[in-house]
Amino acid sequence: MEKIFNNTQVAFALKTDSELDRAYFLFKMIANQPLVRIGTAVTNFALKAHLPVDGLIRATVFDHFCGGVNEDDCLSVVDKMYTKGVSSVLDYSVEGKEEEAQFDAALEMTLKTVEFAKERQAIPFAVFKPTGLGRIDLYEKVGAKQLLSQEEQLEWNKIVARFELICKTAHSKDVALLIDAEESWMQDAADDLVEDMMRKYNKEKVIVFNTLQLYRWDRVAYLKKLHDRAKSEGFYIGMKLVRGAYMEKEHKRAEEKGYPTPICESKQATDDNYNVAVEYMMKHINTMAIFAGTHNEESSYKLMEMQLANTISKNDPRIWYGQLYGMSDNISYNLAEKGYNVAKYLPFGPVRDVMPYLIRRAEENTSVAGQTSRELNLLKTERLRRKNNKID
């Protein structure tokens, strides 16, 4: 398999020199763990104290990792990326809300992104987070099969109705729908809900995708059991495959509550788990669809090799590669240039509401071995290439 991910000219073709410099500066900061901790604390304080920091945040970290403050704001970024064959997934990245009015607002925004996806070839998927539609504590209680109070049951019924409306709308408009995974203690209830939606709306092809976090050691077994049910009941399976984004939180909670951590014992075990899941889905690709959400070059090459070995075309609609906006452009743009299906998750929302997402991105980059140093090396290479070209 030809190694394509070091081509920085393709990777950063859309970035101006000043945007390249900003990205380099940003990842330099993120590479410094104490600085990330201090910056997070200062940012949280500034936001809680209602200090006027929105402009500073927007000009630095927000504009690098987000498409805009609303869906219309994102369109220039969407159109720009699509000139290079990279599609977008508009992700309303407002997290940690607790009130019904906020959940209804997230519902309306998700329905709006489904409509956006219907109208624009550059936006092939819609997406939402389960906790965008309801309280995490309620998911946890339902997943643990605990008795709900009458009030809680009504609240849960509203969550189910929100899921149903989004999935029904996506199905009627023929728009593929990604549903994110979150913390393990709320995931059982979300999995059951998403499976119900697959059973209902994935009868002819995949519309509804769940997400498997493969840093969890139990997820491949879950996939195989789901496949058994899908075969017997006659529905297709869509899965976004990721490694996972809540590792520190998962370890900490398991330790505090005295249960075994749901996370694989090592990075290698996680990588192996991810590859096994991809292989399993590729083996059954006639009844499945894969959205490979990964920043890992080796995992991307493996999937490319499987497509080649099985004579599956690069742009087969059942196989997509996905990365986050602002990260791994070397994977996204080089894949797209070779004709593969690629979509960037493009987060958006009011600056203050999106900060929990941005903080998680910064923390994730400091904790994932090699991620930030790789970004820095690629940016450094491209800056040098441009500098030498100007001298020539």
Side-chain angles (χ1 to χ4, degrees):
M1 177 60 64
E2 179 196 359
K3 301 300 180 190
I4 62 171
F5 297 142
N6 288 330
N7 186 332
T8 60
Q9 185 173 1
V10 170
F12 301 118
L14 293 179
K15 284 202 185 309
T16 63
D17 288 351
S18 62
E19 286 169 339
L20 207 62
D21 290 343
R22 182 184 67 185
Y24 185 77
F25 168 74
L26 201 55
F27 280 107
K28 264 285 196 196
M29 284 174 54
I30 289 171
N32 187 323
Q33 276 188 314
L35 199 60
V36 169
R37 280 197 298 273
I38 293 165
T40 297
V42 169
T43 302
N44 280 331
F45 170 78
L47 292 171
K48 280 173 186 168
H50 300 287
L51 298 178
V53 292
D54 293 40
L56 176 62
I57 293 168
R58 172 118 210 214
T60 52
V61 65
F62 184 93
D63 278 354
H64 182 83
F65 289 114
C66 298
V69 296
N70 56 48
E71 67 280 12
D72 292 314
D73 214 8
C74 295
L75 288 180
S76 61
V77 178
V78 169
D79 292 342
K80 193 174 170 186
M81 288 200 294
Y82 201 57
T83 63
K84 299 297 181 183
V86 175
S87 300
S88 298
V89 183
L90 291 188
D91 181 16
Y92 184 57
S93 295
V94 173
E95 301 180 1
K97 300 300 183 184
E98 292 283 321
E99 295 166 16
E100 289 297 307
Q102 293 166 328
F103 300 140
D104 285 335
L107 168 67
E108 290 307 315
M109 186 56 73
T110 305
L111 292 171
K112 200 178 278 191
T113 60
V114 171
E115 192 59 48
F116 257 59
K118 172 68 180 169
E119 293 170 0
R120 291 168 177 82
Q121 197 176 357
I123 307 175
F125 297 88
V127 64
F128 71 89
K129 289 176 177 61
T131 56
L133 305 183
R135 291 186 301 114
I136 187 170
D137 294 348
L138 196 53
Y139 282 97
E140 183 183 357
K141 207 167 179 180
V142 170
K145 306 287 190 279
Q146 292 177 18
L147 192 66
L148 302 183
S149 68
Q150 193 174 0
E151 195 176 311
E152 286 171 332
Q153 187 60 57
L154 288 170
E155 194 181 342
W156 179 249
N157 292 347
K158 286 181 183 175
I159 294 173
V160 175
R162 290 180 188 119
F163 263 77
E164 173 69 42
L165 180 56
I166 292 169
C167 294
K168 184 179 181 181
T169 304
H171 181 263
S172 70
K173 294 182 182 295
D174 197 27
V175 170
L177 181 67
L178 301 166
I179 301 175
D180 286 345
E182 299 181 76
E183 292 89 342
S184 62
W185 55 93
M186 64 72 65
Q187 194 59 43
D188 285 351
D191 285 343
D192 290 345
L193 255 180
V194 179
E195 185 176 333
D196 284 344
M197 297 299 110
M198 282 189 195
R199 198 174 278 113
K200 194 177 282 192
Y201 297 112
N202 287 5
K203 287 288 189 186
E204 289 88 30
K205 64 172 184 177
V206 175
I207 290 289
V208 178
F209 286 69
N210 201 355
T211 300
L212 286 186
Q213 298 190 103
L214 277 312
Y215 67 176
R216 282 182 57 177
W217 50 261
D218 63 341
R219 294 287 83 187
V220 171
Y222 167 78
L223 173 62
K224 290 178 178 178
K225 284 176 185 170
L226 175 65
H227 186 213
D228 288 339
R229 293 191 292 274
K231 280 187 289 187
S232 66
E233 297 176 44
F235 63 90
Y236 288 78
I237 292 173
M239 281 293 173
K240 179 171 65 141
L241 303 178
V242 301
R243 280 168 169 77
Y246 302 90
M247 190 165 67
E248 311 299 331
K249 198 190 281 190
E250 292 282 1
H251 280 318
K252 187 180 176 189
R253 189 176 190 272
E255 193 177 326
E256 284 172 357
K257 293 190 175 283
Y259 60 83
T261 179
I263 307 298
C264 290
E265 62 184 6
S266 65
K267 171 72 166 65
Q268 186 58 53
T270 297
D271 290 342
D272 293 344
N273 217 28
Y274 188 94
N275 293 334
V276 167
V278 173
E279 285 163 15
Y280 186 84
M281 291 194 72
M282 285 296 284
K283 188 178 173 184
H284 302 286
I285 196 63
N286 287 335
T287 55
M288 295 187 183
I290 301 172
F291 187 99
T294 182
H295 295 164
N296 186 290
E297 293 181 7
E298 286 310 309
S299 292
S300 301
Y301 282 130
K302 279 183 190 294
L303 182 50
M304 292 161 70
E305 283 164 4
M306 280 184 251
Q307 283 185 249
L308 187 64
N310 291 288
T311 59
I312 297 173
S313 67
K314 291 177 178 179
N315 65 345
D316 188 295
R318 297 168 299 181
I319 302 167
W320 281 79
Y321 297 76
Q323 291 77 44
L324 297 167
Y325 183 68
M327 292 167 64
S328 300
D329 286 348
N330 66 310
I331 296 177
S332 307
Y333 288 94
N334 281 299
L335 277 171
E337 206 233 359
K338 296 294 181 185
Y340 292 91
N341 294 324
V342 184
K344 285 278 205 189
Y345 253 57
L346 189 60
F348 72 96
V351 174
R352 286 167 182 263
D353 289 339
V354 173
M355 279 316 297
Y357 167 85
L358 291 172
I359 287 166
R360 203 169 76 245
R361 282 285 77 82
E363 289 171 347
E364 183 184 322
N365 272 281
T366 59
S367 64
V368 176
Q371 173 72 45
T372 302
S373 58
R374 183 184 72 183
E375 297 284 356
L376 280 169
N377 286 334
L378 290 162
L379 290 161
K380 194 185 295 182
T381 300
E382 178 59 11
R383 288 167 98 203
L384 188 61
R385 188 195 69 78
R386 291 187 188 186
K387 186 179 175 186
N388 289 340
N389 277 2
K390 283 170 185 169
I391 292 170
D392 293 344

